[in-house]
Amino acid sequence: FGRARLDFGKVGLVELWLGDAEEPSSGAGFKPDGASHLWSHSFYLGMILSNLQNLLEQEKDVPWQPFRDFFADKASKELRVLDVGCGVGAAAIAAALAGHNVTAVDLDLQALSLVSRNARHHGVRDRISLLQWDMVKSVPASLLVRRPFDVAYVEVTSVIVQADQQAVNGQEISKMLTKVLANLLEIKASVYMFGGVYTQMHDEPNKYTNYLLESLDEFAQKVATASGAGLLRPCGPDGQDQCPRKSPHMSPPHWMELMDPSPPVRHAIV
């Protein structure tokens, strides 16, 4: 509740107002209301997008090749970033401070109001566009006109957790995720990123992350089949070999500790 101060490395300390009260710079008291918490993945996403060059150097010790393959030639470029489920704007503001162009999306109007306030406080309001959208519903025209994006991060775990807590069965959760993924494909991003978590006792995805991984894999196969591309793709030096089409990749266990000085870190990026 109240205010949070997060150290995003290269772009410095980011102060976030979490309650509907006075500006962060006022130093006055407040009554927390609305979007009054932070998702851990907002911090990690912000760290990734605002420290790409440093992260590529550090991750040589804990390599995650899909990450390197995509970001190696983009570390010094201005990226078009979509942050779906942006909350109070931790990742969006860190990315904007690093020079990226950000579209921040959330279902909660209170959260979007806080993103606007926090972005103004850090002087990056002109780099962040705000849109309201429920990711399980059709994509609004106001978002479609902003495509394509270089990076789309989607906080879909919150949807999975809420459905599971409401005792929605696995089949219905899968259908819901298929709808979300179909919407995201319509948005057109070069890479889609999601939050994941490893179990505490074993370096395996937890049940919510498994829902996501299974849905991503099934959806990718459906898209490949529907497009006539099949489940194999040309590969090899001469393109004559056949390899499986790309499945979702999850960052290795402990990879996120590159951004957090307090291991163990169970969070991951898919």
Side-chain angles (χ1 to χ4, degrees):
F1 295 98
R3 282 180 291 179
R5 292 182 177 90
L6 302 177
D7 186 353
F8 280 103
K10 184 178 179 180
V11 300
L13 199 66
V14 172
E15 184 180 47
L16 299 165
W17 194 256
L18 308 181
D20 189 13
E22 295 153 291
E23 296 290 345
S25 58
S26 70
F30 62 90
K31 294 182 179 179
D33 187 22
S36 55
H37 63 278
L38 291 167
W39 287 89
S40 297
H41 280 112
S42 293
F43 169 72
Y44 292 117
L45 176 65
M47 285 292 290
I48 290 172
L49 293 174
S50 60
N51 296 273
L52 278 172
Q53 191 63 60
N54 291 344
L55 186 55
L56 286 166
E57 288 295 323
Q58 290 177 316
E59 73 106 35
K60 291 177 181 177
D61 298 326
V62 191
W64 183 26
Q65 196 60 43
F67 178 85
R68 179 168 292 276
D69 289 345
F70 182 77
F71 283 109
D73 64 344
K74 299 176 177 64
S76 59
K77 295 180 179 179
E78 177 182 322
L79 302 178
R80 289 178 56 80
V81 176
L82 174 64
D83 183 5
V84 181
C86 62
V88 297
I93 291 169
L97 286 168
H100 303 308
N101 186 293
V102 184
T103 298
V105 178
D106 207 282
L107 172 62
D108 187 355
L109 285 174
Q110 169 70 2
L112 293 174
S113 175
L114 289 168
V115 178
S116 180
R117 172 179 294 176
N118 291 326
R120 288 198 310 272
H121 177 63
H122 288 281
V124 292
R125 182 62 184 86
D126 60 332
R127 282 195 164 271
I128 301 177
S129 298
L130 301 175
L131 292 171
Q132 184 185 29
W133 178 46
D134 181 346
M135 70 181 79
V136 302
K137 297 182 179 178
S138 299
V139 185
S142 56
L143 179 51
L144 291 177
V145 297
R146 297 194 60 78
R147 62 186 178 179
F149 295 92
D150 297 301
V151 179
Y153 176 80
V154 188
E155 186 52 79
V156 73
T157 306
S158 58
V159 177
I160 301 173
V161 171
Q162 183 179 16
D164 184 68
Q165 291 176 344
Q166 293 174 352
V168 177
N169 63 49
Q171 187 175 11
E172 290 302 313
I173 292 177
S174 179
K175 288 181 180 179
M176 178 185 63
L177 287 175
T178 297
K179 172 61 177 173
V180 171
L181 295 175
N183 287 339
L184 295 177
L185 198 62
E186 191 177 354
I187 289 170
K188 297 181 181 178
S190 297
V191 67
Y192 296 90
M193 301 170 69
F194 307 86
V197 178
Y198 283 101
T199 57
Q200 186 171 358
M201 300 302 296
H202 306 283
D203 290 332
E204 300 173 352
N206 70 3
K207 73 172 183 175
Y208 300 126
T209 305
N210 272 322
Y211 275 133
L212 175 61
L213 290 169
E214 291 168 4
S215 294
L216 283 168
D217 196 44
E218 291 173 5
F219 185 75
Q221 293 186 34
K222 288 178 182 177
V223 170
T225 302
S227 66
L231 301 181
L232 297 176
R233 61 179 176 85
C235 64
D238 55 5
Q240 297 301 309
D241 298 327
Q242 294 290 304
C243 298
R245 291 196 172 272
K246 292 182 179 179
S247 296
H249 295 279
M250 187 170 178
S251 57
H254 311 295
W255 186 82
M256 301 289 269
E257 289 173 9
L258 294 170
M259 293 164 282
D260 193 322
S262 305
V265 174
R266 296 297 174 185
H267 293 279
I269 292 291
V270 176

